[in-house]
Amino acid sequence: MARLRSCNFGLELYPDNLSHVAILDQLETNGYQYSGILHHSDTKKDNPDELVKAHWHIVLCFPRQRDLSVVSKELDLESRFIECIRSRVASERYLCHLDTPDKFQYDPAEIFGPLADQVRAHIEGGKTEDDKVRALLFLLDTMPTPCSYRRFIVAACEAGLYSTLRRMGSLFKPVIDEHNGYTNGT
């Protein structure tokens, strides 16, 4: 069986499950990088008048790839509640059902977690160039140190901010160096 590895994982947790509530607390208190939302108004496909059981969708992010089994063990969460994410941006857009207009549309203000501001910045669209630069700076602040230029470019792509980074050209290199603790070429 192939190992399931990713930098980003999707969790589905239920508020009526005390161990799931504890996992959400664990994410918050132990400094995990994530964004999430409570889906409280989803309806059943076969009966649009009936609500689906309330549940949290969590997008959990790591700086390096990890095995799904390791994440499952670390969080003490059955693997059936975890999935490897292929597209972080698509998963973050799903938090509000942005690309599924037939589903209830959640307000981006309901997104929570350490990455909530970053997620809102790139899913709400129509932001000014200043807002996009601030989102890039926030993204860098969430990256581990040292952060390679390559890893930051990948993260900017995942956040939908590459075009802004590209337009900045070499202006961002000293900012990354500063993040990494390098000064005056040292």
Side-chain angles (χ1 to χ4, degrees):
M1 180 176 187
R3 290 171 48 188
L4 299 174
R5 295 179 59 80
S6 182
C7 289
N8 305 301
F9 295 88
L11 311 180
E12 189 169 315
L13 305 173
Y14 292 87
D16 64 348
N17 183 323
L18 293 179
S19 67
H20 287 190
V21 173
I23 289 167
L24 197 56
D25 289 339
Q26 178 183 352
L27 294 176
E28 185 176 329
T29 57
N30 292 328
Y32 285 90
Q33 295 298 302
Y34 69 94
S35 59
I37 195 166
L38 176 63
H39 280 194
H40 52 74
S41 297
D42 292 354
T43 58
K44 294 189 175 182
K45 286 183 183 181
D46 58 342
N47 184 0
D49 294 327
E50 188 176 345
L51 290 177
V52 172
K53 184 175 169 179
H55 56 284
W56 287 297
H57 282 284
I58 307 294
V59 178
L60 180 60
C61 306
F62 295 100
R64 291 178 182 76
Q65 284 197 349
R66 301 182 76 180
D67 286 341
L68 186 143
S69 61
V70 170
V71 173
S72 174
K73 185 175 181 177
E74 184 175 315
L75 296 176
D76 194 21
L77 179 65
E78 294 177 57
S79 60
R80 67 186 175 111
F81 295 108
I82 308 171
E83 67 177 341
C84 292
I85 291 177
R86 291 185 184 182
S87 170
R88 177 178 165 186
V89 171
S91 296
E92 289 170 340
R93 290 179 60 81
Y94 184 78
L95 295 175
C96 295
H97 291 151
L98 295 179
D99 301 316
T100 49
D102 56 321
K103 292 188 174 189
F104 182 84
Q105 299 295 295
Y106 291 94
D107 184 344
E110 294 182 53
I111 298 172
F112 60 86
L115 300 178
D117 288 339
Q118 176 188 331
V119 171
R120 280 191 290 271
H122 72 78
I123 68 171
E124 290 179 334
K127 296 291 183 183
T128 68
E129 190 75 4
D130 291 346
D131 293 332
K132 291 176 183 177
V133 171
R134 278 193 283 278
L136 276 172
L137 291 169
F138 180 81
L139 176 63
L140 182 59
D141 289 343
T142 65
M143 303 289 294
T145 302
C147 175
S148 71
Y149 301 118
R150 178 188 187 106
R151 179 67 188 122
F152 186 68
I153 290 169
V154 169
C157 290
E158 290 174 349
L161 295 167
Y162 176 73
S163 61
T164 302
L165 180 62
R166 186 188 74 231
R167 284 191 301 280
M168 292 182 71
S170 62
L171 293 175
F172 221 82
K173 183 184 182 314
V175 177
I176 294 172
D177 286 344
E178 179 184 310
H179 171 78
N180 289 333
Y182 307 140
T183 55
N184 299 329
T186 60

PDB file of all heavy atoms in Angstrom, residues 122-135:
ATOM      1  N   HIS A 122      -6.947  35.633   0.424  1.00  0.00           N
ATOM      2  CA  HIS A 122      -6.866  35.148  -0.950  1.00  0.00           C
ATOM      3  C   HIS A 122      -8.158  34.549  -1.486  1.00  0.00           C
ATOM      4  O   HIS A 122      -8.280  34.364  -2.683  1.00  0.00           O
ATOM      5  CB  HIS A 122      -5.661  34.219  -1.154  1.00  0.00           C
ATOM      6  CG  HIS A 122      -5.758  32.876  -0.543  1.00  0.00           C
ATOM      7  ND1 HIS A 122      -6.475  31.853  -1.073  1.00  0.00           N
ATOM      8  CD2 HIS A 122      -5.186  32.380   0.570  1.00  0.00           C
ATOM      9  CE1 HIS A 122      -6.347  30.788  -0.321  1.00  0.00           C
ATOM     10  NE2 HIS A 122      -5.583  31.077   0.684  1.00  0.00           N
ATOM     11  N   ILE A 123      -9.164  34.296  -0.646  1.00  0.00           N
ATOM     12  CA  ILE A 123     -10.424  33.783  -1.199  1.00  0.00           C
ATOM     13  C   ILE A 123     -11.440  34.883  -1.473  1.00  0.00           C
ATOM     14  O   ILE A 123     -12.353  34.690  -2.263  1.00  0.00           O
ATOM     15  CB  ILE A 123     -11.073  32.686  -0.335  1.00  0.00           C
ATOM     16  CG1 ILE A 123     -11.576  33.225   0.990  1.00  0.00           C
ATOM     17  CG2 ILE A 123     -10.143  31.518  -0.145  1.00  0.00           C
ATOM     18  CD1 ILE A 123     -12.412  32.235   1.775  1.00  0.00           C
ATOM     19  N   GLU A 124     -11.277  36.019  -0.821  1.00  0.00           N
ATOM     20  CA  GLU A 124     -12.271  37.068  -1.021  1.00  0.00           C
ATOM     21  C   GLU A 124     -12.069  37.801  -2.338  1.00  0.00           C
ATOM     22  O   GLU A 124     -12.989  38.423  -2.850  1.00  0.00           O
ATOM     23  CB  GLU A 124     -12.279  38.037   0.167  1.00  0.00           C
ATOM     24  CG  GLU A 124     -12.849  37.385   1.407  1.00  0.00           C
ATOM     25  CD  GLU A 124     -12.846  38.296   2.621  1.00  0.00           C
ATOM     26  OE1 GLU A 124     -12.006  39.209   2.691  1.00  0.00           O
ATOM     27  OE2 GLU A 124     -13.700  38.075   3.492  1.00  0.00           O
ATOM     28  N   GLY A 125     -10.873  37.729  -2.923  1.00  0.00           N
ATOM     29  CA  GLY A 125     -10.632  38.317  -4.237  1.00  0.00           C
ATOM     30  C   GLY A 125     -10.825  39.821  -4.255  1.00  0.00           C
ATOM     31  O   GLY A 125     -11.346  40.420  -3.333  1.00  0.00           O
ATOM     32  N   GLY A 126     -10.387  40.427  -5.352  1.00  0.00           N
ATOM     33  CA  GLY A 126     -10.583  41.849  -5.531  1.00  0.00           C
ATOM     34  C   GLY A 126      -9.803  42.708  -4.554  1.00  0.00           C
ATOM     35  O   GLY A 126     -10.096  43.879  -4.387  1.00  0.00           O
ATOM     36  N   LYS A 127      -8.827  42.142  -3.913  1.00  0.00           N
ATOM     37  CA  LYS A 127      -8.039  42.899  -2.947  1.00  0.00           C
ATOM     38  C   LYS A 127      -7.074  43.827  -3.687  1.00  0.00           C
ATOM     39  O   LYS A 127      -6.679  43.576  -4.806  1.00  0.00           O
ATOM     40  CB  LYS A 127      -7.244  41.960  -2.036  1.00  0.00           C
ATOM     41  CG  LYS A 127      -8.102  41.081  -1.165  1.00  0.00           C
ATOM     42  CD  LYS A 127      -8.798  41.918  -0.131  1.00  0.00           C
ATOM     43  CE  LYS A 127      -9.619  41.057   0.799  1.00  0.00           C
ATOM     44  NZ  LYS A 127     -10.351  41.831   1.760  1.00  0.00           N
ATOM     45  N   THR A 128      -6.691  44.893  -3.014  1.00  0.00           N
ATOM     46  CA  THR A 128      -5.726  45.811  -3.595  1.00  0.00           C
ATOM     47  C   THR A 128      -4.347  45.170  -3.585  1.00  0.00           C
ATOM     48  O   THR A 128      -4.102  44.177  -2.876  1.00  0.00           O
ATOM     49  CB  THR A 128      -5.665  47.129  -2.790  1.00  0.00           C
ATOM     50  OG1 THR A 128      -5.101  46.851  -1.506  1.00  0.00           O
ATOM     51  CG2 THR A 128      -7.039  47.765  -2.651  1.00  0.00           C
ATOM     52  N   GLU A 129      -3.434  45.755  -4.330  1.00  0.00           N
ATOM     53  CA  GLU A 129      -2.060  45.268  -4.348  1.00  0.00           C
ATOM     54  C   GLU A 129      -1.455  45.346  -2.940  1.00  0.00           C
ATOM     55  O   GLU A 129      -0.730  44.454  -2.520  1.00  0.00           O
ATOM     56  CB  GLU A 129      -1.227  46.091  -5.345  1.00  0.00           C
ATOM     57  CG  GLU A 129       0.129  45.520  -5.622  1.00  0.00           C
ATOM     58  CD  GLU A 129       0.114  44.297  -6.522  1.00  0.00           C
ATOM     59  OE1 GLU A 129      -0.956  43.903  -7.027  1.00  0.00           O
ATOM     60  OE2 GLU A 129       1.193  43.714  -6.705  1.00  0.00           O
ATOM     61  N   ASP A 130      -1.785  46.400  -2.200  1.00  0.00           N
ATOM     62  CA  ASP A 130      -1.287  46.530  -0.827  1.00  0.00           C
ATOM     63  C   ASP A 130      -1.748  45.347   0.032  1.00  0.00           C
ATOM     64  O   ASP A 130      -0.967  44.788   0.813  1.00  0.00           O
ATOM     65  CB  ASP A 130      -1.779  47.831  -0.186  1.00  0.00           C
ATOM     66  CG  ASP A 130      -1.161  49.076  -0.812  1.00  0.00           C
ATOM     67  OD1 ASP A 130      -0.161  48.944  -1.543  1.00  0.00           O
ATOM     68  OD2 ASP A 130      -1.694  50.172  -0.565  1.00  0.00           O
ATOM     69  N   ASP A 131      -3.017  44.966  -0.111  1.00  0.00           N
ATOM     70  CA  ASP A 131      -3.548  43.834   0.652  1.00  0.00           C
ATOM     71  C   ASP A 131      -2.823  42.544   0.281  1.00  0.00           C
ATOM     72  O   ASP A 131      -2.537  41.717   1.147  1.00  0.00           O
ATOM     73  CB  ASP A 131      -5.048  43.671   0.410  1.00  0.00           C
ATOM     74  CG  ASP A 131      -5.863  44.816   0.978  1.00  0.00           C
ATOM     75  OD1 ASP A 131      -5.416  45.435   1.965  1.00  0.00           O
ATOM     76  OD2 ASP A 131      -6.951  45.082   0.429  1.00  0.00           O
ATOM     77  N   LYS A 132      -2.512  42.384  -0.997  1.00  0.00           N
ATOM     78  CA  LYS A 132      -1.828  41.171  -1.448  1.00  0.00           C
ATOM     79  C   LYS A 132      -0.399  41.124  -0.916  1.00  0.00           C
ATOM     80  O   LYS A 132       0.091  40.058  -0.526  1.00  0.00           O
ATOM     81  CB  LYS A 132      -1.860  41.083  -2.967  1.00  0.00           C
ATOM     82  CG  LYS A 132      -3.259  40.826  -3.509  1.00  0.00           C
ATOM     83  CD  LYS A 132      -3.283  40.848  -5.016  1.00  0.00           C
ATOM     84  CE  LYS A 132      -4.706  40.671  -5.531  1.00  0.00           C
ATOM     85  NZ  LYS A 132      -4.764  40.759  -6.987  1.00  0.00           N
ATOM     86  N   VAL A 133       0.262  42.271  -0.876  1.00  0.00           N
ATOM     87  CA  VAL A 133       1.624  42.314  -0.313  1.00  0.00           C
ATOM     88  C   VAL A 133       1.575  41.992   1.173  1.00  0.00           C
ATOM     89  O   VAL A 133       2.391  41.216   1.683  1.00  0.00           O
ATOM     90  CB  VAL A 133       2.305  43.671  -0.583  1.00  0.00           C
ATOM     91  CG1 VAL A 133       3.612  43.799   0.192  1.00  0.00           C
ATOM     92  CG2 VAL A 133       2.552  43.855  -2.078  1.00  0.00           C
ATOM     93  N   ARG A 134       0.597  42.568   1.886  1.00  0.00           N
ATOM     94  CA  ARG A 134       0.446  42.240   3.312  1.00  0.00           C
ATOM     95  C   ARG A 134       0.175  40.747   3.493  1.00  0.00           C
ATOM     96  O   ARG A 134       0.691  40.131   4.427  1.00  0.00           O
ATOM     97  CB  ARG A 134      -0.666  43.072   3.932  1.00  0.00           C
ATOM     98  CG  ARG A 134      -0.220  44.468   4.329  1.00  0.00           C
ATOM     99  CD  ARG A 134      -1.243  45.167   5.214  1.00  0.00           C
ATOM    100  NE  ARG A 134      -2.384  45.672   4.470  1.00  0.00           N
ATOM    101  CZ  ARG A 134      -2.401  46.819   3.798  1.00  0.00           C
ATOM    102  NH1 ARG A 134      -1.338  47.579   3.776  1.00  0.00           N
ATOM    103  NH2 ARG A 134      -3.477  47.205   3.153  1.00  0.00           N
ATOM    104  N   ALA A 135      -0.613  40.149   2.594  1.00  0.00           N
ATOM    105  CA  ALA A 135      -0.887  38.707   2.673  1.00  0.00           C
ATOM    106  C   ALA A 135       0.393  37.913   2.453  1.00  0.00           C
ATOM    107  O   ALA A 135       0.626  36.898   3.124  1.00  0.00           O
ATOM    108  CB  ALA A 135      -1.955  38.312   1.662  1.00  0.00           C
TER     109      ALA A 135
END
